[in-house]
Amino acid sequence: MAATTPTEYISHHLTNLVYGKKADDSWGFAEDAIEAQEMGFWAIHVDSLGWSVFLGILFLSVFYRVAQKVTTGIPRQMQNIVEILVEFVDNSVKESFHGKSDLIAPLALTIFVWIFLMNFMDIIPVDFLPFVFHSMGVEYMKVVPVTDPNITFGMSISVFFLIIYYSIKIKGIKGFVSELTLQPFGKWMIPFNFLLESIALIAKPVSLALRLFGNFYAAELIFILIGLLPFYIQWTLALPWAIFHILVITLQAFIFMMLTIVYLSTAHEKH
Amino acid sequence: MSITLTLLGQSISFGLFVLFCMKYVWPPLINALRERQKNISDGIEAADRAHKDLAEAKENSANLVQEGKDQAATIIANANKRASELVDEAKNQAESEKQRIMASADEEINRSAQKARGELSDYLEDLVATGVGKIVEKEVDMAKHKAIIDDLGSQLKH
């Protein structure tokens, strides 16, 4: 690894592999963090998005294979695991969402399993995958997609649009607008109501994304800091932290899924 | 750590994954789960029903066995009665037959005795007549003494 000082080590670990529009208008991989920064919006974090898509396809291909061979008789190993997850998600949706929708349950399943897998990358030792890619000539590699706000916001903003779509679909434009403006203080306070309600609405995707991002960015950073210690001490900190994160990984995936269900459920409710 | 195209990419892949999941993954899995749930609840119900049926059948069979026993006892009693009746009847018949046979045998004996006596007396009559004739060939005139000989003969017959 190119890093020699702790600062370099940390910043190296926090730099994405970026493919984007360079200063001279050509497209290519950024050489370092500064160049990546300069690319602005027209850049793709190849590592985050790549791992994210890879894990999504992994999830879907496993579940798809099980779904094709599904039996109502005695389930086999993989079908057991898949069924536990499906039933768990189905129950969570039934508990919180009382409308009828073909989208909510598969959405919740995708969110839960996909985010779980992306979070799980956190458990893999911080230097392991970057080292493998480094030896293949790839300089930067952030393997935990959820430590990239682009990933978490990408999902939460999609959820946000679903909230708006269902609000309008169920309540009509009028209903949605009046929900935003006529409460909590009645029609004489419309500007104030609107301010309050739009903050509440926008807080939903922002909190969803930042909660997930913050948790894992911090966790990853701590793993990186632990990685700076002498190798014979590392395990005393890394092991408890990793075990603790088995809990956090599941919990954060669950929270994201549950809040999505709840938000969409309120979007379906008429007042 | 800036907002980039990555966000759009993630949103698009999220949408595609959810669509795929909704179309090809979720329905078969949840249908299989529901179907199995139904199978299991049907199975439990069937087991309950079978349990009840079994209890009923046990009761029925006990009743049937009792009934059968009662019937068998009646049949046996009837049969015994009939058997003793038959035996009595047979005895009576045999008795009357015996009487009849004995009566006819008596009659036969009497008749035979009568016949034998008749034959014997005739024979004796002839013998006496022949013997007396031989002895008194000269002295007895059949015409004269016929009355005496007939009287003798009739005495012998008794």
Side-chain angles (χ1 to χ4, degrees), chain A residues 16 45-60 107-126 129 142-159 208-209 212-213 215-217 219-220 223 245-254 256-257 260, chain B residues 6-7 9-15 17-18:
Chain A
N16 284 103
H45 296 169
V46 180
D47 46 2
S48 300
L49 195 58
W51 280 109
S52 157
V53 169
F54 168 74
L55 292 169
I57 288 171
L58 180 73
F59 147 62
L60 284 176
L107 175 75
L109 179 72
T110 311
I111 288 177
F112 181 71
V113 181
W114 195 16
I115 292 185
F116 176 85
L117 289 174
M118 290 196 281
N119 293 352
F120 188 83
M121 299 300 288
D122 190 36
I123 295 284
I124 297 171
V126 277
L129 283 169
K142 268 179 83 176
V143 294
V144 192
V146 286
T147 58
D148 187 337
N150 287 291
I151 299 298
T152 59
F153 272 103
M155 297 182 83
S156 74
I157 287 172
S158 308
V159 171
L208 264 186
L212 189 59
F213 162 71
N215 259 288
F216 285 92
Y217 188 76
E220 186 72 353
F223 274 123
H245 266 76
I246 294 172
L247 178 70
V248 175
I249 283 166
T250 324
L251 187 66
Q252 288 300 327
F254 175 70
F256 201 112
M257 175 193 81
T260 304
Chain B
T6 318
L7 188 146
Q10 176 71 5
S11 287
I12 292 166
S13 23
F14 182 45
F17 287 162
V18 170

Side-chain angles (χ1 to χ4, degrees), chain A residues 40-41 43 45 49 52 56 60 63-64 70-73 79 82-83 90 103 105 107 110 114 150-151 154-155 158, chain B residues 1-7 9-11 13-14 17-18 20-22 24-26 28-30 32-36:
Chain A
F41 179 76
H45 296 169
L49 195 58
S52 157
L60 284 176
F63 273 56
Y64 181 70
V70 73
T71 163
T72 56
Q79 195 185 332
V82 166
E83 276 183 5
D90 192 46
L103 174 72
L107 175 75
T110 311
W114 195 16
N150 287 291
I151 299 298
M155 297 182 83
S158 308
Chain B
M1 222 172 5
S2 46
I3 294 300
T4 66
L5 266 182
T6 318
L7 188 146
Q10 176 71 5
S11 287
S13 23
F14 182 45
F17 287 162
V18 170
F20 185 86
C21 182
M22 192 169 98
Y24 300 109
V25 174
W26 183 264
L29 289 172
I30 198 75
L33 277 181
R34 300 220 167 109
E35 203 178 316
R36 181 169 327 112

Side-chain angles (χ1 to χ4, degrees), chain A residues 13-25:
Chain A
H13 266 288
L14 293 180
T15 306
N16 284 103
L17 177 66
V18 184
Y19 181 85
K21 199 173 170 187
K22 294 189 172 190
D24 57 359
D25 270 4

Side-chain angles (χ1 to χ4, degrees), chain A residues 198-252:
Chain A
S198 22
I199 289 173
L201 186 65
I202 290 165
K204 286 173 180 176
V206 172
S207 65
L208 264 186
L210 287 184
R211 180 185 304 108
L212 189 59
F213 162 71
N215 259 288
F216 285 92
Y217 188 76
E220 186 72 353
L221 203 56
I222 288 173
F223 274 123
I224 294 168
L225 291 177
I226 292 170
L228 285 170
L229 295 170
F231 73 92
Y232 50 87
I233 298 177
Q234 282 182 16
W235 68 272
T236 58
L237 292 169
L239 185 68
W241 189 237
I243 291 170
F244 174 60
H245 266 76
I246 294 172
L247 178 70
V248 175
I249 283 166
T250 324
L251 187 66
Q252 288 300 327

